[in-house]
Amino acid sequence: MKAYVFPGQGAQFTGMGKDLYENSALAKELFEKANEILGFRITDIMFEGTAEELKETKVTQPAVFLHSVILAKTLEDFKPEMVAGHSLGEFSALVANGTLSFEDGLKLVSQRALAMQKACEITPSTMAAVLGLADNVVEEVCASIDGVVVPANYNCPGQLVISGETSAVEKACEAMKAAGAKRALILPVGGAFHSPMMEPAREELAAAIEATSFSTPSCPVYQNVTANAVSDAAEIKKNLIIQLTAPVKWTQSVQQMIADGATLFTEVGPGKVLTGLINKIDKEAATANA
């Protein structure tokens, strides 16, 4: 079975999507439509902008989404039998399997980025990567720390990202090292994504998601929140709202996709982060980049 996976924030690079724009009439049309919807020329920043400009929250998330979705739409023989996306990438996956229209997906991603930015400004918060510890040890350490700090991204065995209040994350990093972590390092992010700190953003995004039309997908999406195959539009909607404050179960999603018959994982979008993680989750998994 063909599985297509879509990357999240952090995969962006200067020049992303430029070749698509120059070589495909459909891609050019979709990029120009995106400029119109967003109210600024995101293509200028994607194709020519600095790394700093690309890192702006209002740019990063729509840019990664656009690169992934437009690339998927220009692929020959694009017939996914299962899809999944890492965090933001779940929105790309939902356009790829027909749950969301291109326009609605872009509007939601833009609203999500701005809502998350606002939530980041309320309380000092951050994320940290923990390498070389079992998931259950990371969970136990987080639970033992005063303040808000939780597992946020289960990326692959031995690589988990934690998220929360800055002071609690710093304390947790020290405790992780004491528990035997190879590394526990603070990440250069705007705030504590996939943690209770995103509650204001979740409330704001929930209203936008509720007001958006979701169709029955052409194939199941393995959602971050459950790591299971979901084909019911109402359930997809519910899980997408929970996603902002819940952990990304990427390891579990990939394992479940393999158990359900995935034979080839193709990463669609900027970078090769997900194929790298998939190969760490299962050394036998066949991977490709679109």
Side-chain angles (χ1 to χ4, degrees), residues 185-214:
L185 60 158
I186 304 286
L187 297 172
V189 293
F193 306 144
H194 300 289
S195 83
M197 312 301 290
M198 285 292 118
E199 183 56 34
R202 190 194 66 79
E203 287 172 14
E204 197 173 319
L205 193 64
I209 288 173
E210 291 294 2
T212 302
S213 163
F214 278 50

Side-chain angles (χ1 to χ4, degrees), residues 234-271:
E235 195 182 335
I236 290 172
K237 216 176 225 196
K238 184 189 78 181
N239 290 336
L240 204 56
I241 292 168
I242 299 168
Q243 194 221 54
L244 266 187
T245 51
V248 173
K249 295 180 178 174
W250 189 251
T251 302
Q252 300 88 328
S253 298
V254 171
Q255 288 167 337
Q256 191 58 52
M257 291 167 95
I258 291 167
D260 291 349
T263 50
L264 174 65
F265 289 89
T266 303
E267 182 169 3
V268 186

Side-chain angles (χ1 to χ4, degrees), residues 39-98:
F40 66 97
R41 290 195 63 79
I42 193 168
T43 48
D44 292 353
I45 306 172
M46 289 172 71
F47 304 164
E48 315 290 345
T50 62
E52 214 43 50
E53 288 171 311
L54 267 175
K55 255 170 50 181
E56 274 188 67
T57 302
K58 73 165 187 172
V59 174
T60 312
Q61 295 194 27
V64 173
F65 167 87
L66 286 170
H67 188 280
S68 294
V69 168
I70 294 174
L71 177 56
K73 285 186 181 291
T74 59
L75 290 177
E76 279 178 39
D77 193 34
F78 180 72
K79 293 190 179 72
E81 293 168 279
M82 43 174 79
V83 294
H86 192 289
S87 186
L88 157 73
E90 190 157 287
F91 288 82
S92 310
L94 291 174
V95 174
N97 75 357

